Amino acid sequence: MKHSWDEPTLIFDQYRNGVGYKAAIGERGINGQTAVNERFYVGDQWHGARCGDRKPLVRYNVIKRIGDYKMAMVAGSALAVNFTAEGVDSRTAAKERLAVIREAMSRGEAPVMTPEEQVNLSLNVLSDYYRVTAERLGLDSLKNDALRRAFTSGTGVLYTWWDPTVRTGLYADEGRTSPITGDIRTEVLEVENLFFGDPTVEDVQQQPYIIIARRERVEELRREARRYGRSAEEVARIRPDREEAFADGEELPDADKATVLTKLYKQWNPTGNDWTIRAVRVVRGATVRGAWDMRIRRYPLAVFRWETRPHCAYGVSEVTYLVPNQIAINRAITASANAVMMMGMPILVVNEDVVAGPVTNDPGQIIPVNGGEDMGECIRYVAPTNFTPQFEGLVNGMIANTLTQAGANDAALGDMRPDNTSAIMAVREAATMPMQLLQNRFYAFVEEIARIWAEFWVHLYGRRPLKVQDDTGEWYVPFDAAVLREQLINVRVDVGPANLWSEIQSRQTLDNLFTANLLTPLQYLERLPRGSVPDQTGLVRELREQTAGTPDSQQVVEALSPDSREALMQMDEDTRQRLLRQVLEQP
């Protein structure tokens, strides 16, 4: 029997093949190893160990410290996304012209533009709109969540889809009678619930299909099926099942849920030179939503792999290979703690045939005895085994070596006295250099998110005003997606500085420039880090009002004749500055 793309039987067969492939990776499979890694990361590191409950089971969570440090280093830099297009002029002159056009549009004007200027303006607007959308969707939190999942499972996934129910607050007409609805939404997926059609291909966009598995309430699935025109008979076939285990955790016994598979695949045109992404949603024995055109040409999934696995679409978690070290450290610390406790509170042996009363730890206790036996044989402490002082050195050595080998030395973690900031920064920079490959993979992950968003904007937005934020405030720019339909759009991620002393360095640099008279008071205040002085915005505004129309030293120098300017520059610094102040003080 020939199966169609949207037939539930075929899709569930493909899903089971994906489950089997992931179960065969490693000793425990991806799902089993991820569960172990997650427990070790959060601190549940004695899970399943049959050690009884009498002795304290000590843990020193090296894995969490390494993970938190690396995730902070990778995601700590400020990222800015910029869009460009192939074959479109983006030189300085074009950028200056673009600034003039935007300034005119911010005043409500409609400047005349060439087709190339329209493309440049649309791309420039998307660069600003990316930041607005990132705030709306909480992208920073989503990226951190994907990074955390990549650390414990090896793979972090961000999934974007089009939600037609989103109310934008915008209207297609001036009379505000035709509301514009629909916008993108983004979520982080568990890698346990993601299945690639060809798991030996690393490039997501080269996959023949991708399946996303979920557990959803039957009532919601039936409502969705009716909304998309499924027959009453097919709606009735949507029933609860309890056969699948998912990363969401254990369900309640009476949970009325079913396994629903969302399959994304490429639908090629008859000539085979173009395609579009289509999707279908099915449960066992029924189709919830028939195949529909997503109207995009990229799979809307951005994948970040902590470590790449050759010829595999799934990544490798660093935690997997830190677990043995963590177990050894915990066992050593626990043995050390128990040995010290045994030496401080040794076991007391009492012969109850001779000792009549109870024995406690109270000082000065009088113990009645019967008979004349040797008390040393009736009440005595059991001498614990000798405890070598080298044990503590072994524990500390394992901890230090594990942190160092993972690239988290004392300088990187901040466990050093800041006596010499420059030296500490140099050591810290050297320690973080091996993380550059990990950071580059994360920046590529952010670039892919931007490409996916641009794909939705260009193919589904049509004509609508886009909110942007710039020096003039928040305002709306008219956007026509058709301008960019035929363009090959490029994405560039610009990385800003991110280190522990960036704010201190910035202030020191500004202080030095201001002391050398290379900055005016207004330039100095505008560039200070936010919150450095109370009411910084008010001070800047007042200073602008005071200096409006007043020339500065540079303007005075530029107004001089060439001979006078040359004579001025030959003076010593103090004389030149005194003369300029006298000129500026004149009314």
Side-chain angles (χ1 to χ4, degrees), residues 216-283:
E216 297 185 16
R217 293 172 55 226
V218 170
E219 180 183 353
E220 294 293 337
L221 293 174
R222 288 175 176 171
R223 185 181 299 114
E224 180 182 354
R226 285 190 291 267
R227 184 166 63 247
Y228 289 105
R230 311 310 297 182
S231 65
E233 179 184 357
E234 193 164 26
V235 171
R237 290 202 300 268
I238 301 177
R239 300 187 181 93
D241 61 60
R242 306 184 186 279
E243 300 177 11
E244 308 301 334
F246 281 84
D248 321 40
E250 296 294 333
E251 296 179 359
L252 296 174
D254 58 346
D256 192 20
K257 291 185 177 182
T259 301
V260 55
L261 305 181
T262 302
K263 179 176 180 177
L264 312 177
Y265 61 94
K266 292 182 179 180
Q267 179 70 56
W268 292 83
N269 63 8
T271 60
N273 57 9
D274 198 7
W275 72 90
T276 184
I277 302 297
R278 295 175 67 84
V280 60
R281 282 168 59 82
V282 300
V283 295

Side-chain angles (χ1 to χ4, degrees), residues 69 407 409-412 416 420-434 501:
Y69 157 70
N409 59 19
D410 289 342
M416 293 180 66
N420 189 335
T421 304
S422 300
I424 292 176
M425 290 182 63
V427 174
R428 184 172 179 268
E429 184 176 356
T432 58
M433 283 299 294
W501 296 279

Side-chain angles (χ1 to χ4, degrees), residues 46 56-62 326-341 387 391-392 394-396 398-399:
W46 290 94
L57 302 177
V58 187
R59 61 183 63 83
Y60 186 99
N61 201 340
V62 178
Q326 182 68 70
I327 292 175
I329 291 171
N330 289 348
R331 286 179 174 176
I333 294 179
T334 300
S336 175
N338 288 331
V340 172
M341 293 174 63
F387 176 66
F391 208 77
E392 184 177 357
L394 171 66
V395 173
N396 293 335
M398 283 194 298
I399 293 173

Side-chain angles (χ1 to χ4, degrees), residues 48-205:
R50 300 177 181 178
C51 301
D53 56 357
R54 287 190 163 185
K55 296 180 180 179
L57 302 177
V58 187
R59 61 183 63 83
Y60 186 99
N61 201 340
V62 178
I63 291 177
K64 182 174 177 58
R65 193 162 198 207
I66 293 172
D68 289 350
Y69 157 70
K70 288 192 172 183
M71 286 185 281
M73 286 297 301
V74 170
S77 299
L79 302 181
V81 172
N82 293 287
F83 296 93
T84 58
E86 292 291 337
V88 179
D89 186 8
S90 59
R91 291 175 295 181
T92 303
K95 294 179 180 178
E96 292 176 351
R97 170 61 180 162
L98 184 60
V100 173
I101 293 174
R102 286 193 54 156
E103 184 179 356
M105 296 183 70
S106 67
R107 297 193 300 266
E109 302 174 7
V112 178
M113 292 178 287
T114 65
E116 189 173 81
E117 288 173 345
Q118 291 179 345
V119 173
N120 262 335
L121 176 64
S122 299
L123 293 170
N124 183 261
V125 168
L126 287 186
S127 299
D128 288 341
Y129 188 63
Y130 172 86
R131 294 188 288 271
V132 175
T133 304
E135 291 180 3
R136 177 177 70 85
L137 298 177
L139 182 60
D140 287 341
S141 176
L142 293 173
K143 288 189 298 186
N144 292 339
D145 193 8
L147 196 61
R148 153 74 185 277
R149 295 174 193 269
F151 179 68
T152 55
S153 70
T155 311
V157 184
L158 209 62
Y159 173 48
T160 302
W161 78 97
W162 182 261
D163 186 353
T165 65
V166 174
R167 299 180 180 179
T168 64
L170 304 174
Y171 292 85
D173 60 331
E174 296 183 359
R176 300 174 68 86
T177 59
S178 301
I180 298 176
T181 59
D183 212 329
I184 60 174
R185 289 191 181 275
T186 306
E187 67 172 322
V188 177
L189 294 181
E190 301 276 2
V191 69
E192 296 93 321
N193 301 342
L194 181 69
F195 304 89
F196 295 107
D198 187 351
T200 64
V201 176
E202 296 182 33
D203 188 358
V204 174
Q205 299 305 323

